[in-house]
Amino acid sequence: MEKKPHFVRREFLPREVPSISLALLLAAVLLLNALLYLYLNKFSSSLGRVETDSGLCPFGYFKFGAVKNCSPWLSCEAINREVRKLKCVGEGAVKKVFLSEWKEKKVVLSQLTNSELKEDFLHGLKMLKALQSKHVVRLLGYCEQQFTILTEYHPLGSLRGLNETLHIPKYKGMNTWHRRLMLAMDYVSVIRYLHSSPLGTLVMCDSNDLDKVLSQYLLTSDFHVLVNDLDALPLVNRSAGRLVKCGHRELRGEFVAPEQRWPYGEDVPFEDDLMPPYDEKTDIWKIPDVSNFFLGHVEGSDIVRLHLFDIHAACKKKDPAERPSAQEVLDTYRKVLTLLIREAAMPGTREML
């Protein structure tokens, strides 16, 4: 009789210990899922950079920094009186760019340099005014008579310097696969916004090579992407039968979409009048190449590329009609980010179960 308790205890413990361990494991998985949900929900608004934002001012007004009240765009008189040029920081075919100062704040003053391109300059100003959103650099003022535009200053500059910025000790913590993927998502969000803008479907034409694309966008101090140069944004209007052509010269190279290249072979000299027009799907063709730059060569970036392989292959379809929309690309990027963060948060959980 005295051996019976010993027998019962020996049978009971092997059953009890695994059941407790399993319960703890399941509780841990549920907790991790809850934390992951809260984490993703916390920055979900930054993933797509939605257009609507309570911080945006009404049309014709701006605010930035810690200022709470909106101010009207600066006029010619105000720019001439209150803005002081500091130094030239860039010059392109259309305009020269000056780092300047307004009320002890750094700003950017852009001025037309080639009078023959004043229509491009004014088109860029028109787009800048009409497209103010989370995706577009903030307009502070302008003077059409003097061909001058005043915008917000972003010290990290254009995306061309992204890799150099990420090697600065201050920003090395940002040099991760998920932060780089979020920058790629910001870029695709800009393309999505342009393709469904308040003005209609706009095509980003200043994008004939990777370096040119990167020069059109700014990197903000909180690591988001803004489009900065809107001089070449023609409108697609399918219902009216209106397609576009990016310039009047022959485009070459694998970076531009197939429909942007001269279709009649080397033996036929290029003629702009014979070049067929195209639509916004040229922007989709370029997304994989730009995203590849964003992802870089950090730990985990090749895994991201593997998960994006199918959507990027679809972007490279020769027939533009078979390519996905920018929204479809963005949706896929979001799913991949969520999946990979979940896997990183719970490594080996499936094997444990």
Side-chain angles (χ1 to χ4, degrees):
M1 291 294 290
E2 292 186 6
K3 292 184 179 181
K4 188 172 183 181
H6 179 69
F7 174 78
V8 171
R9 186 173 60 186
R10 192 171 58 185
E11 287 293 313
F12 176 75
L13 284 174
R15 291 182 183 176
E16 187 68 18
V17 172
S19 63
I20 293 174
S21 299
L22 183 59
L24 290 173
L25 179 59
L26 289 173
V29 170
L30 290 173
L31 178 61
L32 282 171
N33 271 300
L35 291 174
L36 179 63
Y37 173 80
L38 292 173
Y39 173 67
L40 292 173
N41 191 56
K42 183 177 180 180
F43 65 72
S44 61
S45 60
S46 69
L47 298 183
R49 305 297 313 274
V50 292
E51 293 76 52
T52 56
D53 175 35
S54 58
L56 288 176
C57 294
F59 182 82
Y61 291 80
F62 74 93
K63 67 176 180 179
F64 69 104
V67 178
K68 293 183 178 180
N69 298 326
C70 295
S71 303
W73 287 335
L74 299 186
S75 63
C76 296
E77 181 184 359
I79 291 174
N80 292 332
R81 184 180 65 249
E82 300 173 13
V83 177
R84 181 170 66 95
K85 290 181 185 176
L86 299 178
K87 63 177 180 179
C88 179
V89 292
E91 184 173 1
V94 178
K95 53 186 177 285
K96 185 177 287 189
V97 179
F98 297 89
L99 175 62
S100 305
E101 192 175 59
W102 174 72
K103 294 188 176 180
E104 299 183 349
K105 297 181 178 71
K106 296 287 194 304
V107 293
V108 174
L109 189 72
S110 301
Q111 292 184 316
L112 178 69
T113 55
N114 186 346
S115 59
E116 294 180 0
L117 298 175
K118 63 182 180 181
E119 293 303 321
D120 291 339
F121 184 90
L122 292 176
H123 177 74
L125 173 58
K126 176 184 175 183
M127 295 294 105
L128 195 54
K129 290 192 290 184
L131 298 176
Q132 285 294 289
S133 70
K134 293 279 265 186
H135 305 291
V136 179
V137 69
R138 191 163 298 163
L139 177 64
L140 309 180
Y142 64 92
C143 180
E144 285 193 34
Q145 297 94 312
Q146 298 173 7
F147 298 98
T148 299
I149 299 174
L150 193 69
T151 54
E152 190 174 11
Y153 171 62
H154 293 280
L156 295 183
S158 80
L159 289 177
R160 284 189 295 191
L162 174 64
N163 288 323
E164 289 76 9
T165 297
L166 289 171
H167 282 96
I168 297 173
K170 179 181 177 181
Y171 299 112
K172 278 189 174 181
M174 296 287 193
N175 197 16
T176 61
W177 67 262
H178 72 272
R179 177 59 66 175
R180 283 176 168 271
L181 177 55
M182 288 175 70
L183 288 174
M185 291 170 65
D186 269 359
Y187 165 73
V188 177
S189 293
V190 173
I191 299 300
R192 185 274 311 268
Y193 176 63
L194 295 178
H195 288 183
S196 56
S197 82
L199 301 177
T201 302
L202 300 167
V203 181
M204 192 65 172
C205 266
D206 262 345
S207 56
N208 297 334
D209 58 62
L210 179 61
D211 191 64
K212 185 64 173 175
V213 170
L214 299 176
S215 71
Q216 309 301 304
Y217 295 85
L218 296 171
L219 179 65
T220 67
S221 296
D222 60 349
F223 272 72
H224 285 294
V225 174
L226 297 175
V227 63
N228 180 52
D229 196 329
L230 304 174
D231 294 345
L233 276 183
L235 179 68
V236 169
N237 188 337
R238 285 192 182 81
S239 60
R242 184 194 303 165
L243 299 178
V244 305
K245 288 191 286 187
C246 290
H248 305 287
R249 298 179 181 179
E250 182 177 1
L251 301 179
R252 296 176 179 268
E254 292 299 314
F255 188 82
V256 297
E259 64 271 22
Q260 291 184 280
R261 302 173 211 153
W262 179 243
Y264 302 117
E266 296 283 342
D267 296 333
V268 181
F270 177 82
E271 288 187 41
D272 185 41
D273 291 340
L274 298 179
M275 181 66 199
Y278 33 84
D279 62 17
E280 77 280 4
K281 289 300 184 72
T282 58
D283 290 333
I284 305 299
W285 171 273
K286 298 160 189 173
I287 286 176
D289 299 291
V290 180
S291 289
N292 187 55
F293 167 81
F294 277 118
L295 292 174
H297 300 285
V298 297
E299 182 180 356
S301 62
D302 286 341
I303 299 297
V304 178
R305 287 185 178 90
L306 184 63
H307 281 81
L308 296 177
F309 180 84
D310 288 341
I311 191 68
H312 283 172
C315 291
K316 291 293 188 179
K317 294 280 189 181
K318 187 172 183 180
D319 183 355
E322 294 182 5
R323 296 173 204 155
S325 66
Q327 182 65 62
E328 290 171 322
V329 176
L330 183 59
D331 290 343
T332 301
Y333 278 33
R334 284 173 170 162
K335 290 175 183 175
V336 168
L337 177 62
T338 302
L339 171 67
L340 292 178
I341 288 178
R342 180 179 290 120
E343 289 181 354
M346 297 184 293
T349 301
R350 187 174 301 174
E351 289 78 4
M352 292 170 67
L353 290 172

